[in-house]
Amino acid sequence: MVAMGKFVCIHGHFYQPPRENPWLEAVEVQDSAAPFHDWNQRVTAECYAPNAAARVLDPAGKIESIVNNYQSISFNFGPTLLDWMAKQTPEMVEALKEADRISAQRWGHGNAMAQVYNHLIMPLATRRDKLTQIRWGMRDFQHHFGRPAEGMWLAETAVDMESLELMAAEGLKFTILAPSQAQAVRPPGGQGWQDVGSGGVDGSRAYRVATPAGDIAVFFYQGPLSRGVAFEGLLDDGARFAARIKETLPGDDSLLLLATDGESYGHHHRFGEMALAFALNRLEQDPEVQLTNPAAFLEAHPPVWEAKIVDDSSWSCPHGVERWKSDCGCALDPGRGWSQAWRTPLRGAVDHLLERLAGLLEDEGGRLLNDPWAARDHYVDLILDDSRQAREKFLSEHQAHGLSPEEQVRVLMLMESQRWGLFAATSCAWFFDDLAGIEAVQNLRFAARALQLAGELDGGGWEEEMSGILAEARSNQPSEGDGADIWRRRVAPAKVGPRRVAAHAAISGVMGEEPPPEELFIYDLVSSGHRHRSNLGLDLSWGKLTVTHRRLGRPHQIIYAALHPGGHEFLAQVNYDSGDWDPAALEQPVEPLLRMLDQRGLKELLAKNLGGEAFALGDLFLEGRRSLAQEMLTRTLTSEFDLARNLYDTHRDTMRFLQDINVPLPRLFEALASAVLAGELIQLLTGDSRTLSPDRLGEIVSQARELGLDLEGPRVNRAVEEALSAEVAALAADPGAAQALDRAGAILDLSDALELEPNLWQAQNIVFGLAQRQGRENLTPGLAALGRRLNLDL
């Protein structure tokens, strides 16, 4: 429970827009996030994970402790981000759950808050869509944290009275708003309303807002301090951050609440998580200060003051919610002078889509479901669990009558169209500066998936309407054209059907003589009659494949053949199976063509025998194209690397001579030596750790030094990070593993000698955790010495 004192609550709103390819339900590689796979992964590495293990330094600059910041701050994570984390970094979700449990033990209420599901702007949504966003957000929260949500974060803190009414009706107790969103307040005792102007509200207390469904509490965060964290460099110094908080404290038994995007702590501001950890540690030691969270403060201090909010307002647009529907003047880079007139037709297109989807839900769902809207609200359970058992439970609970298999598929298609339609309204499409930006294009792809499903249900015509409205929206980049051009060029080609899935599976395996995998993203695959033949670098595979979308449960029978004549050419011939095609019948006609390496004859045979559609390497999903290209390059470069190595060995003495007489290396020599030494270094570090030779690492360092080469780069740094973490993990499993200790030391020697800047975060975590479990005094001398090299105070 909360004691008396001056209360401080720091809230972080942690969010990334949903980035999944809606046909695959996977985040594909994003080059702009390099050296990471995608932006979710990058921001996790720069912010979310470091806040779960933040460093606190002693006066000498050594790491004296590693703390989970989430245990001491209020936080919300976007549900779609949490769902991604649960699949990709489950240890991160566990750290959040542990923080929520520990804070609940400490203060009686957990630090975690829920969020409206996919970050749409609530005042711009219909009442039904608002309710689904709230219910999906609450259910997702319950799924991850194992308890009901008490508070909910609104996307961009965008609020209207209807949203607060629905939140109160669903049992939510509070939300957090910006000070500019308070219109007036009224003290207890029924006195008159006091206008607070823009940002003039006293945020040291909670307020109650009366709605037709009952009261809900509202906190207004402290504006200047929050701006200091987000935009004014307050995180450059943890001590200054703590001092500013102390200077801003209100009177006794009052609250200081600051709120920002959580990404401020590490992603927007490097080492921001360390500044936060330092400030929290300093505040914890201050007898005048009590850390808390909104739910705990609310229980101890029920609101007696009332507030009126500014309807249709937000924290990131001074014009209310115009940023998400008009050219209001808000932009990330106003200096470019770009127009945001495209926002209005984009909003119109998405609203029209949602309106038509609502009609389809009532018409088609009304025929198949007891209550189509209730079914949609419960569909989040299938988003969280795509198993057959969950699907059967959902259908049995909501069907209006015993549904046939075809009707079951129609219900699931209906629900999926609703899901992706709501995703098309995610706020990020309008927040940024151009219609052709990756955020707007992502939303249009969500819309395209919804349209594809809806068109199958009612006969089509949806895409033409959408494209017609989008034609009114023009990009600021002349080469991009209007919204219809962007749809045609960057959205429509991304669509996926069963035949493309089969083509991807077939082409991906033909070079390695592998049958199609059992799973491919959101699709389950069952292969039968698979054959493979090869001759002098020409590969051919064929067979049958059942392709089933895991959420829809609708199987598609496919026949396929994949041909790789060599080099970079790939071909797949794919068709639906009429039932009378036998893979064995293809064996005899292909044999003579294979012996003669008759590529043209094979292509003609496959087209005639299978029919259907032909696919090439460019038709593969991006991840598959990259993977196959990398495999081809690896095969090619293996021999080329040996050639480069020979050239380097041949000319090494010449390079050394030039260095000795102070003559700069020719660019060709420098590039050759850097490529060979960095390549070998990466091979050593990423290969079998048992064959990692400290002596060979030392030789590479010596050669790089004698030639004056700089091998520092993202790929080398990542290789060092991963190799060091692997050796330290081996030490954690067996602290007496002398070879792992030697290899870890050699990797650090290499990093120091080459003046690399690897991220030692994971290795530090492992050694510090071991020291905590065993006791620092019980660490072996070698492990303690390694910890000190990792800047740990051991």
Side-chain angles (χ1 to χ4, degrees):
M1 302 298 291
V2 177
M4 295 289 287
K6 296 180 178 181
F7 296 97
V8 173
C9 174
I10 299 173
H11 181 84
H13 162 54
F14 296 90
Y15 166 74
Q16 292 297 303
R19 295 189 165 96
E20 284 77 7
N21 178 320
W23 291 275
L24 307 180
E25 300 201 21
V27 180
E28 295 183 287
V29 63
Q30 296 176 303
D31 293 333
S32 59
F36 296 92
H37 178 273
D38 56 72
W39 279 102
N40 282 6
Q41 192 183 90
R42 177 168 174 172
V43 181
T44 297
E46 293 177 349
C47 175
Y48 308 142
N51 273 288
R55 280 78 174 123
V56 178
L57 304 183
D58 64 15
K62 294 287 185 180
I63 299 170
E64 68 176 12
S65 63
I66 297 178
V67 298
N68 184 342
N69 282 342
Y70 301 110
Q71 294 178 9
S72 301
I73 68 169
S74 169
F75 62 87
N76 73 275
F77 272 77
T80 56
L81 175 60
L82 262 184
D83 295 346
W84 174 87
M85 283 181 170
K87 297 172 184 174
Q88 301 297 325
T89 59
E91 68 281 359
M92 185 65 237
V93 178
E94 287 303 314
L96 297 177
K97 290 164 64 176
E98 180 185 31
D100 190 62
R101 286 193 298 267
I102 289 174
S103 57
Q105 293 167 4
R106 180 182 183 186
W107 294 319
H109 298 267
N111 285 341
M113 284 176 58
Q115 180 199 286
V116 292
Y117 187 75
N118 64 272
H119 213 264
L120 58 70
I121 301 301
M122 293 289 274
L124 299 180
T126 66
R127 185 180 182 90
R128 280 294 338 169
D129 289 349
K130 289 173 181 172
L131 189 57
T132 296
Q133 285 287 305
I134 293 168
R135 288 177 173 172
W136 282 15
M138 293 176 69
R139 179 68 187 92
D140 192 272
F141 182 93
Q142 174 87 46
H143 174 80
H144 290 297
F145 291 98
R147 67 173 178 86
E150 297 183 88
M152 175 168 277
W153 183 268
L154 295 166
E156 305 292 343
T157 73
V159 70
D160 62 350
M161 282 303 298
E162 185 175 65
S163 296
L164 293 182
E165 174 196 343
L166 293 172
M167 291 165 69
E170 292 301 305
L172 290 163
K173 298 176 181 177
F174 68 91
T175 192
I176 299 171
L177 299 178
S180 60
Q181 294 178 272
Q183 177 184 345
V185 298
R186 182 163 65 182
Q191 302 177 38
W193 288 96
Q194 303 171 7
D195 182 30
V196 294
S198 179
V201 67
D202 179 1
S204 66
R205 63 175 69 92
Y207 295 84
R208 64 183 181 87
V209 175
T211 82
D215 293 349
I216 186 169
V218 172
F219 293 88
F220 298 100
Y221 64 76
Q222 214 276 351
L225 192 58
S226 300
R227 282 194 299 275
V229 169
F231 306 115
E232 297 168 3
L234 197 51
L235 296 179
D236 292 344
D237 184 337
R240 186 161 65 95
F241 183 25
R244 278 284 302 276
I245 291 174
K246 190 71 187 293
E247 292 166 6
T248 316
L249 285 174
D252 287 339
D253 218 25
S254 296
L255 176 69
L256 172 63
L257 170 65
L258 65 94
T260 67
D261 285 336
E263 291 75 22
S264 295
Y265 303 109
H267 175 55
H268 297 154
H269 303 282
R270 193 179 183 197
F271 303 127
E273 82 285 352
M274 294 177 64
L276 175 60
F278 185 94
L280 290 169
N281 184 55
R282 181 71 60 87
L283 294 170
E284 292 267 23
Q285 296 173 8
D286 191 324
E288 189 180 21
V289 174
Q290 293 287 334
L291 293 179
T292 188
N293 62 46
F297 185 85
L298 193 62
E299 181 183 15
H301 305 83
V304 293
W305 283 64
E306 289 182 79
K308 288 182 180 178
I309 63 158
V310 178
D311 244 343
D312 297 348
S313 62
S314 68
W315 76 346
S316 48
C317 177
H319 316 99
V321 292
E322 292 299 310
R323 184 171 195 153
W324 297 276
K325 66 175 183 176
S326 72
D327 188 5
C328 66
C330 288
L332 281 185
D333 186 0
R336 284 190 291 196
W338 280 7
S339 167
Q340 276 74 52
W342 55 269
R343 287 176 178 160
T344 300
L346 178 60
R347 172 59 61 184
V350 171
D351 285 350
H352 178 72
L353 168 65
L354 290 172
E355 182 180 351
R356 281 205 62 183
L357 287 172
L360 180 64
L361 178 64
E362 291 185 341
D363 293 343
E364 183 75 5
R367 186 174 62 82
L368 301 172
L369 299 164
N370 289 322
D371 182 341
W373 293 106
R376 187 178 81 164
D377 289 341
H378 286 103
Y379 186 66
V380 67
D381 291 332
L382 292 194
I383 298 175
L384 293 166
D385 179 2
D386 61 15
S387 69
R388 186 184 65 182
Q389 293 81 2
R391 192 163 63 241
E392 291 173 350
K393 180 176 183 291
F394 172 84
L395 291 168
S396 67
E397 289 176 352
H398 293 284
Q399 62 187 1
H401 55 265
L403 300 178
S404 68
E406 292 76 15
E407 288 175 323
Q408 291 179 9
V409 169
R410 291 184 72 83
V411 166
L412 296 169
M413 290 175 66
L414 190 61
M415 293 296 111
E416 280 289 281
S417 69
Q418 294 291 314
R419 173 194 181 193
W420 296 115
L422 289 171
F423 271 54
T426 301
S427 68
C428 310
W430 291 268
F431 188 86
F432 295 91
D433 291 356
D434 194 61
L435 178 65
I438 58 173
E439 299 82 11
V441 171
Q442 180 71 28
N443 278 40
L444 290 177
R445 287 179 176 172
F446 293 148
R449 178 57 174 155
L451 291 173
Q452 183 186 44
L453 292 161
E456 285 190 55
L457 290 171
D458 80 343
W462 294 64
E463 188 165 336
E464 292 77 6
E465 287 187 9
M466 186 84 173
S467 186
I469 301 173
L470 289 172
E472 301 172 16
R474 294 206 64 83
S475 167
N476 289 284
Q477 304 170 65
S479 61
E480 293 287 355
D482 60 33
D485 296 325
I486 293 169
W487 182 281
R488 185 180 63 257
R489 229 180 23 255
R490 300 175 60 185
V491 177
K495 289 191 284 189
V496 173
R499 292 197 293 189
R500 188 174 173 193
V501 173
H504 180 105
I507 290 177
S508 297
V510 64
M511 192 164 66
E513 304 183 16
E514 299 170 354
E518 294 182 357
E519 292 184 3
L520 183 61
F521 301 110
I522 194 64
Y523 296 90
D524 292 326
L525 309 179
V526 179
S527 176
S528 62
H530 179 77
R531 268 87 166 158
H532 183 87
R533 299 289 186 272
S534 62
N535 183 34
L536 298 176
L538 188 152
D539 291 282
L540 175 67
S541 297
W542 71 94
K544 291 189 173 188
L545 194 62
T546 302
V547 177
T548 305
H549 192 290
R550 203 170 301 130
R551 295 199 186 278
L552 302 180
R554 177 173 59 172
H556 296 271
Q557 306 303 325
I558 303 289
I559 59 176
Y560 69 88
L563 176 66
H564 175 47
H568 61 269
E569 186 178 1
F570 291 83
L571 170 76
Q573 195 74 35
V574 180
N575 202 355
Y576 291 108
D577 186 6
S578 61
D580 57 357
W581 189 80
D582 183 3
L586 202 56
E587 291 185 7
Q588 185 176 354
V590 302
E591 290 298 338
L593 297 172
L594 278 168
R595 285 197 301 270
M596 293 184 293
L597 302 178
D598 186 351
Q599 299 179 26
R600 181 176 178 180
L602 283 169
K603 292 176 184 177
E604 291 175 353
L605 173 65
L606 298 180
K608 180 179 179 180
N609 194 279
L610 281 78
E613 189 174 356
F615 295 85
L617 180 60
D619 296 310
L620 265 64
F621 310 134
L622 180 59
E623 209 78 18
R625 294 200 301 271
R626 294 288 178 90
S627 177
L628 205 54
Q630 185 60 48
E631 186 178 347
M632 287 189 297
L633 286 172
T634 299
R635 291 188 178 194
T636 301
L637 292 178
T638 297
S639 59
E640 299 298 334
F641 186 81
D642 291 339
L643 177 61
R645 176 84 225 187
N646 290 334
L647 283 171
Y648 167 70
D649 289 339
T650 300
H651 296 290
R652 182 181 164 199
D653 287 342
T654 302
M655 296 182 206
R656 291 163 62 186
F657 170 72
L658 292 174
Q659 283 292 103
D660 289 342
I661 64 172
N662 199 25
V663 173
L665 290 181
R667 286 190 177 183
L668 181 61
F669 278 2
E670 184 177 353
L672 173 66
S674 296
V676 168
L677 293 178
E680 184 175 354
L681 185 58
I682 291 170
Q683 286 179 358
L684 284 169
L685 293 171
T686 57
D688 186 343
S689 65
R690 292 169 297 181
T691 63
L692 179 63
S693 166
D695 291 340
R696 183 57 191 148
L697 290 180
E699 291 172 10
I700 293 175
V701 169
S702 297
Q703 292 180 33
R705 278 178 164 173
E706 70 182 11
L707 297 177
L709 299 176
D710 181 7
L711 301 185
E712 203 276 340
R715 291 184 64 229
V716 173
N717 272 326
R718 285 296 295 275
V720 167
E721 292 165 13
E722 292 171 5
L724 180 61
S725 297
E727 299 301 340
V728 173
L731 282 169
D734 179 9
Q739 290 181 330
L741 187 63
D742 290 343
R743 289 192 294 264
I747 293 168
L748 286 174
D749 290 341
L750 168 82
S751 178
D752 293 342
L754 296 179
E755 299 182 359
L756 304 178
E757 295 184 2
N759 187 339
L760 303 178
W761 182 82
Q762 190 171 4
Q764 290 168 339
N765 284 355
I766 295 170
V767 176
F768 190 84
L770 197 61
Q772 283 191 313
R773 291 192 300 273
Q774 294 186 357
R776 300 184 184 193
E777 67 282 359
N778 296 323
L779 290 178
T780 64
L783 199 53
L786 178 65
R788 287 190 288 274
R789 290 196 66 181
L790 292 169
N791 202 39
L792 298 172
D793 182 9
L794 299 178

